[in-house]
């Protein structure tokens, strides 16, 4: 088989993995080829608007497992291919020096056994690091069920190692991925957490959940994320809107992937990690799913309108972060600037702070941006919904793939 | 009359002129480089200022690296008042020192920060979008044509990343080229360099593999041309290998 055909098959099989980020590593160029950029670099954007940073491929799409949602499952009759370690090195090195990519993302179907597959992955990556002296970013998937010593070996070679939890509950996993066990994934996460340092997966670990293949609520999903963030120090949880690839009576039939829902999950995930929000703040048993019309932070603000408006010149950092439209950079900028002058609405504009959503929830020196009698739920909600639909571009999702 | 002060187009000369103007209490209408074409209302004043190489270190040491970087990035922009903005920023630095950048209610500060951000965003994008081709001579060669002058920022980046390669980056719009010899880079007018851009025989194979990868990796159920355009504006397509075909098609 020609290299080009292999690449087509094995990139096509890898493309459903949502993780793309190349950030969080401080690998310097010490007499090798390349370095890592801490903030990550997108080298291109695919036709679906997703960032392309890494050469994202599978080592092989052969697999002994039969996960219902997966294109590579053994019961599918598709063309199979396998890269040799040398082939992967040649492509990576040549793409890297032409600045097509930031590095390599290597995953694999399970061939023969988890350990056998892991050894192939390790062989490929040590060749890349030791023979080709590749010093750019590498993200490898650890194969669930492989031996701990192999996980440790791989961890020393890569910037990031991850394992996908795939589905938010054990019962869903049993239903759709009968060969997989959640503990196999969490064991890997534990090993990474315990060993992580500058020489062992410096960019940490991430995981992915498929959204909409099973009937969990957003509350189930966010609770799972929150649990994994706090127990395994994950850098990121990726959410991947389910795309029907196989016909199976166990799988739902969807016309379009639930992209808005995926977007809301990313927004909420962001609130958990950086804005000091708890899952209970944004979802509850009575309110287990996100409002698809407005973002979770605006939704929170509308449900807690008595905490607003916040006074820009006196509100604390965390109170400022509660304001829809005010992010970390803006909040910090406000805190710094107000030491030197009293901030007005005009100053906020000059400071590059976007007021589209924020203006409804703040005052500057006691002044509201319009007649204060309009500060009520109905008025604000209507305006926010209109605002969202005018903007109507899922840019936060994309940004959040990068800024960790 | 508009008092238009002339500098030679270099950053150091600009700073030297600015300190001279401030010392002598002169308020310029604008500061322009020597290519400027005057209108009837302009009075062109050329002081032929002598460069003071100490200025740059003084700025870095007294007001901090960040302020120096902001001034440099504004200089890299194409804003028609960039020199004047730097002049006013400098003036305010004398007053507010290391706190200057916090004074975002001052027009020159908020403008400088905005422009500098625009420049650094574009340079960051280009760190990804630059595409090298391997020439017959094994030298890597790339062409760019950014809105702002990103050549220095990119050279710093690739000096670290591709330290073991010979590479050339040509800014087609400004007709400048950065040459890296595995130790240092030198930015010179492109016309000073005779270039044979015959491609290495492997080149097409890897270019083709990359385009194959690119065309495979997009998910058709998530197709979103608008989102792609947001992140990768069309003005860059011409020099992005995997987009150049589509670019030509859409220009016809
Ligand atoms: S283990 Fe499951 S998800 Fe992974 S490649 Fe095999 S069938 Fe697909």
């Amino acid at each position: 088989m020609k290299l080009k055909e292999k690449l087509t098959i094995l990139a096509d099989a890898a493309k459903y993995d949502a993780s793309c980020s190349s950030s969080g590593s401080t690998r310097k160029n010490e007499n090798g080829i390349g370095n890592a950029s801490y903030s990550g670099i997108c080298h291109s954007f695919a036709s679906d608007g997703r960032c392309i940073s890494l050469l994202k491929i599978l080592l092989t799409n052969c697999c002994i497992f039969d996960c219902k949602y997966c294109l590579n499952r053994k019961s599918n009759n598709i063309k199979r291919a396998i890269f040799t370690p040398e082939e992967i090195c040649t492509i990576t090195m040549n793409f890297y020096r032409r600045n097509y990519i930031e590095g390599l993302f290597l995953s694999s179907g399970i061939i023969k056994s988890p350990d056998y597959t892991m050894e192939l992955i390790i062989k490929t990556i040590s060749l890349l690091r030791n023979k080709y002296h590749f010093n750019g970013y590498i993200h490898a998937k650890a194969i669930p069920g492989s031996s701990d010593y192999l996980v440790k070996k791989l961890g020393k070679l890569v910037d990031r190692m991850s394992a996908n939890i795939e589905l938010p509950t054990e019962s869903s996993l049993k239903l759709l991925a009968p060969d997989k066990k959640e503990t196999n994934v969490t064991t890997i996460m534990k090993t990474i957490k315990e060993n992580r340092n500058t020489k062992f997966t410096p960019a940490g670990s991430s995981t992915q959940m498929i959204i909409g293949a099973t009937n969990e609520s957003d509350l189930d999903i966010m609770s799972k994320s929150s649990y994994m963030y706090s127990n395994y120090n994950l850098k990121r949880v990726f959410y991947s809107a389910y795309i029907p690839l196989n016909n199976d009576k166990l799988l739902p039939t969807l016309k379009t992937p639930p992209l808005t829902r995926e977007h809301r999950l990313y927004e909420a995930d962001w609130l958990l990690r950086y804005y000091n929000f708890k899952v209970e703040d944004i979802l509850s048993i009575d309110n287990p799913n996100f409002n698809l019309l407005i973002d979770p932070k605006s939704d929170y603000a509308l449900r807690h309108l008595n905490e607003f408006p916040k006074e820009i010149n006196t509100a604390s950092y965390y109170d400022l972060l509660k304001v829809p439209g005010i992010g970390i950079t803006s909040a910090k900028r406000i805190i710094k600037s107000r030491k030197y002058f009293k901030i007005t609405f005009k100053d906020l504009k000059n400071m590059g702070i976007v007021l589209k959503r924020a203006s409804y929830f703040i005052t500057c020196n006691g002044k509201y941006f319009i007649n204060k009698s309009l500060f009520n739920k109905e008025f604000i909600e209507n305006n926010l919904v209109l605002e969202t639909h005018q903007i109507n571009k899922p840019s936060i999702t994309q940004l959040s793939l990068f800024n960790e | 009359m508009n008092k238009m002060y002339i500098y030679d187009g270099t950053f150091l000369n600009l700073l030297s002129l600015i300190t001279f103007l401030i010392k002598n209490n002169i308020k310029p209408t604008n500061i322009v480089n020597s290519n400027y074409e005057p209108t009837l209302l302009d009075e062109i004043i050329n002081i032929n200022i002598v460069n003071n190489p100490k200025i740059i270190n003084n700025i870095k040491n007294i007001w901090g690296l960040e302020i120096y970087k902001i001034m440099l990035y504004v200089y890299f922009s194409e804003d028609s008042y960039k020199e004047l903005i730097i002049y006013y920023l400098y003036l305010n630095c004398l007053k507010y020192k290391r706190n200057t950048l916090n004074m975002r209610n001052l027009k020159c500060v908020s403008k400088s920060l905005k422009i500098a951000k625009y420049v650094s965003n574009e340079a960051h994008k280009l760190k990804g979008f630059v595409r090298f081709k391997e020439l017959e001579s094994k030298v890597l060669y790339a062409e760019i044509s950014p809105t702002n002058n990103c050549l220095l920022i990119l050279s710093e980046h690739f000096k670290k990343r591709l330290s073991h390669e010979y590479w050339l980056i040509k800014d087609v719009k400004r007709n400048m080229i950065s040459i890296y010899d595995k130790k240092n880079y030198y930015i010179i007018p492109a016309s000073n360099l005779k270039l044979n851009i015959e491609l290495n025989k492997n080149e097409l194979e890897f270019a083709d593999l990359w385009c194959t990868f690119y065309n495979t990796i997009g998910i058709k159920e998530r197709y979103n041309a608008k989102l792609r355009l947001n992140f990768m504006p069309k003005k860059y397509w011409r020099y992005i290998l995997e987009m150049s075909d589509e670019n030509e098609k859409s220009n016809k």
Side-chain angles (χ1 to χ4, degrees):
Chain A
M1 196 185 283
K2 274 229 181 101
L3 198 54
K4 186 171 165 174
E5 194 185 352
K6 276 193 192 179
L7 182 62
T8 312
I9 295 172
L10 295 169
D12 192 61
K15 73 182 174 195
Y16 299 103
D17 199 298
S19 48
C20 80
S21 151
S22 61
S23 56
S25 187
T26 48
R27 190 177 289 278
K28 296 253 160 42
N29 191 345
E30 284 154 356
N31 245 333
I33 314 289
N35 59 358
S37 155
Y38 187 73
S39 54
I41 295 174
C42 286
H43 285 250
S44 191
F45 291 88
S47 56
D48 50 25
R50 296 189 308 163
C51 153
I52 301 176
S53 178
L54 304 172
L55 170 65
K56 197 192 284 182
I57 47 172
L58 298 190
L59 185 98
T60 178
N61 64 339
C62 301
C63 193
I64 56 172
F65 282 4
D66 203 40
C67 308
K68 299 284 179 267
Y69 48 82
C70 177
L71 205 58
N72 310 321
R73 61 178 186 174
K74 70 170 178 222
S75 55
N76 276 5
N77 183 14
I78 52 167
K79 223 175 195 178
R80 308 278 172 173
I82 180 164
F83 274 128
T84 66
E86 280 287 347
E87 283 170 337
I88 293 179
C89 294
T90 308
I91 302 179
T92 307
M93 294 312 290
N94 277 287
F95 279 12
Y96 191 82
R97 59 193 289 263
R98 287 168 177 78
N99 204 43
Y100 300 162
I101 53 168
E102 202 57 20
L104 173 68
F105 170 101
L106 189 61
S107 180
S108 184
I110 301 171
I111 184 167
K112 282 191 190 159
S113 71
D115 274 0
Y116 182 83
T117 314
M118 262 306 249
E119 283 185 38
L120 273 182
I121 292 176
I122 292 169
K123 189 173 164 199
T124 305
I125 293 176
S126 25
L127 200 66
L128 198 52
R129 285 279 194 236
N130 300 323
K131 180 174 163 197
Y132 291 89
H133 305 289
F134 179 68
N135 201 41
Y137 193 92
I138 300 180
H139 177 170
K141 287 264 146 174
I143 302 298
S146 54
S147 309
D148 195 53
Y149 79 96
L150 291 174
V151 175
K152 285 187 180 137
K153 214 165 155 186
L154 184 57
K156 289 192 192 114
L157 294 165
V158 298
D159 296 272
R160 171 171 290 180
M161 177 159 57
S162 63
N164 286 351
I165 197 99
E166 304 290 14
L167 295 165
T169 58
E170 187 82 53
S171 57
S172 298
L173 210 57
K174 226 180 227 143
L175 187 70
L176 296 185
D179 309 309
K180 282 191 179 165
K181 274 203 224 81
E182 190 175 310
T183 46
N184 286 343
V185 175
T186 49
T187 316
I188 294 173
M189 290 176 176
K190 233 176 107 204
T191 304
I192 299 172
K193 182 186 163 190
E194 280 159 9
N195 292 282
R196 192 177 158 212
N197 60 38
T198 49
K199 295 259 181 305
F200 190 98
T201 64
S205 185
S206 64
T207 195
Q208 167 175 306
M209 273 190 271
I210 302 169
I211 303 309
T214 45
N215 54 15
E216 282 89 358
S217 66
D218 292 337
L219 177 61
D220 297 330
I221 296 166
M222 288 321 296
S223 307
K224 186 78 186 186
S225 294
S226 160
Y227 173 83
M228 287 191 297
Y229 279 127
S230 47
N231 283 278
Y232 303 112
N233 284 349
L234 291 190
K235 279 284 190 168
R236 290 294 304 273
V237 175
F238 291 95
Y239 307 91
S240 175
Y242 169 66
I243 296 170
L245 302 168
N246 301 324
N247 279 324
D248 199 304
K249 57 182 187 313
L250 291 174
L251 294 170
T253 42
L254 298 174
K255 280 213 184 70
T256 48
L259 294 177
T260 310
R261 185 176 178 206
E262 178 194 278
H263 182 52
R264 292 284 174 258
L265 286 162
Y266 275 116
E267 288 173 326
D269 186 270
W270 195 255
L271 295 181
L272 292 191
R273 284 186 296 140
Y274 295 111
Y275 290 71
N276 229 17
F277 276 78
K278 305 260 172 316
V279 179
E280 316 74 277
D281 293 333
I282 41 181
L283 294 168
S284 63
I285 296 181
D286 304 325
N287 180 30
N289 289 304
F290 290 116
N291 182 344
L292 292 182
L293 288 177
I294 44 178
D295 65 280
K297 202 168 160 194
S298 300
D299 197 58
Y300 169 88
L302 284 169
R303 282 186 289 109
H304 298 81
L305 212 53
N306 57 329
E307 293 173 21
F308 295 89
K310 308 271 188 206
E311 169 55 46
I312 287 292
N313 286 290
T314 54
S316 73
Y317 174 68
Y318 284 109
D319 274 350
L320 287 173
L321 284 184
K322 289 244 153 80
V323 176
I326 293 188
I328 293 167
T329 321
S330 301
K332 284 193 179 146
R333 199 172 282 176
I334 289 167
I335 303 252
K336 237 182 178 180
S337 301
R338 71 189 185 192
K339 283 191 206 139
Y340 301 94
F341 57 93
K342 273 217 169 332
I343 300 174
T344 64
F345 275 101
K346 201 172 149 232
D347 292 330
L348 284 178
K349 266 192 202 136
N350 276 336
M351 288 159 67
I353 288 164
V354 186
L355 291 174
K356 264 187 206 149
R357 277 178 296 156
S359 52
Y360 298 99
F361 300 96
I362 55 171
T363 54
C364 289
N365 305 306
K367 288 204 192 73
Y368 195 51
F369 81 117
I370 38 169
N371 191 331
K372 207 160 181 178
S373 67
L374 289 169
F375 181 77
N376 65 66
K377 190 168 175 200
E378 203 187 350
F379 171 77
I380 300 176
E381 187 163 8
N382 290 344
N383 280 299
L384 286 182
V385 170
L386 283 178
E387 206 62 83
T388 318
H389 288 267
Q390 275 164 15
I391 308 168
N392 198 24
K393 51 180 180 198
S395 52
I396 297 176
T397 308
Q398 285 293 328
L399 282 180
S400 67
L401 292 178
F402 252 121
N403 306 327
E404 310 208 43
Chain B
M1 290 293 268
N2 295 332
K3 288 190 184 313
M4 311 295 272
Y5 285 82
I6 299 276
Y7 75 114
D8 71 3
T10 64
F11 187 51
L12 181 59
N13 197 244
L14 173 63
L15 293 176
S16 308
L17 177 61
I18 288 174
T19 46
F20 173 85
L21 295 175
I22 291 174
K23 215 176 262 159
N24 293 283
N25 243 326
I26 304 172
K27 282 232 149 89
T29 315
N30 200 358
I31 302 171
V32 293
N33 74 26
S34 34
N35 298 332
Y36 179 74
E37 283 171 26
T39 68
L40 285 176
L41 295 175
D42 291 341
E43 178 194 347
I44 297 291
I45 306 163
N46 194 343
I47 315 182
N48 276 322
I49 198 82
V50 183
N51 285 343
N52 172 5
K54 277 196 201 133
I55 293 183
I56 287 179
N57 272 332
N58 283 348
I59 295 178
K60 287 185 189 167
N61 295 337
I62 301 171
W63 299 331
L65 263 177
E66 193 57 23
I67 287 176
Y68 168 75
K69 195 178 134 189
I70 298 289
M71 288 180 176
L72 183 65
Y73 279 28
V74 173
Y75 162 75
F76 285 147
S77 78
E78 290 285 296
D79 194 287
S80 38
Y81 289 97
K82 63 182 187 183
E83 291 90 352
L84 202 61
I85 292 169
I86 298 174
Y87 168 89
Y88 279 105
L89 185 61
Y90 198 105
L91 207 59
N92 278 294
C93 283
L94 293 170
K95 188 164 163 201
Y96 297 107
K97 314 262 168 4
R98 283 174 176 265
N99 281 330
T100 312
L101 293 180
N102 292 321
M103 305 306 294
R104 284 176 185 258
N105 54 343
L106 300 173
K107 192 118 203 174
C108 68
V109 174
S110 62
K111 268 234 126 156
S112 297
L113 288 167
K114 207 169 148 192
I115 296 171
K117 182 95 198 154
Y118 178 51
V119 173
S120 80
N121 282 351
E122 185 177 39
H124 184 78
K125 280 201 150 142
L126 276 158
K127 284 179 193 172
F129 294 164
V130 167
R131 295 287 175 268
F132 287 103
K133 297 174 187 152
E134 186 175 35
L135 302 180
E136 174 75 68
S137 51
K138 293 225 164 7
V139 173
L140 295 172
Y141 173 69
E143 291 181 349
I144 55 172
S145 180
T147 306
N148 302 293
N149 183 357
C150 299
L151 209 46
L152 186 90
I153 306 174
L154 291 176
S155 300
E156 280 295 326
H157 174 74
F158 286 109
K159 179 186 172 180
K160 293 189 200 107
R161 174 154 295 190
L162 298 176
S163 55
H164 286 32
E165 305 268 4
Y166 291 106
W167 51 252
L168 301 164
I169 305 172
K170 179 176 174 183
D171 183 334
V172 179
K173 185 164 143 192
R174 292 169 185 80
N175 207 27
M176 297 295 282
I177 195 162
S178 178
I179 307 175
Y180 177 71
D181 64 1
K182 297 195 183 184
K183 279 192 204 77
N184 288 305
Y185 61 83
Y186 309 89
I187 297 175
I188 59 164
S191 45
N192 292 0
L193 186 78
K194 257 217 195 121
L195 203 63
N196 173 11
I197 53 171
E198 200 178 318
L199 296 181
N200 190 293
K201 54 184 186 323
N202 288 332
E203 190 49 33
L204 290 181
E205 186 196 334
F206 287 111
D208 184 45
L209 277 178
W210 170 245
C211 291
T212 303
F213 176 78
Y214 179 80
N215 292 325
T216 309
I217 205 75
I219 297 177
K220 66 174 193 306
E221 290 87 345
R222 301 179 64 117
Y223 181 78
N224 193 338
K226 223 171 119 194
L227 190 62
R228 172 169 70 181
L229 210 57
N230 265 340
F231 291 120
M232 192 161 60
K234 203 147 172 246
K235 62 179 177 189
Y236 300 116
W237 286 15
R238 182 163 169 208
Y239 297 102
I240 299 177
L241 170 66
E242 65 275 22
M243 298 310 290
S244 54
D245 277 356
E246 201 154 331
N247 188 47
E248 259 166 49
K249 255 188 261 160
S250 62
N251 284 343
K252 265 179 198 159

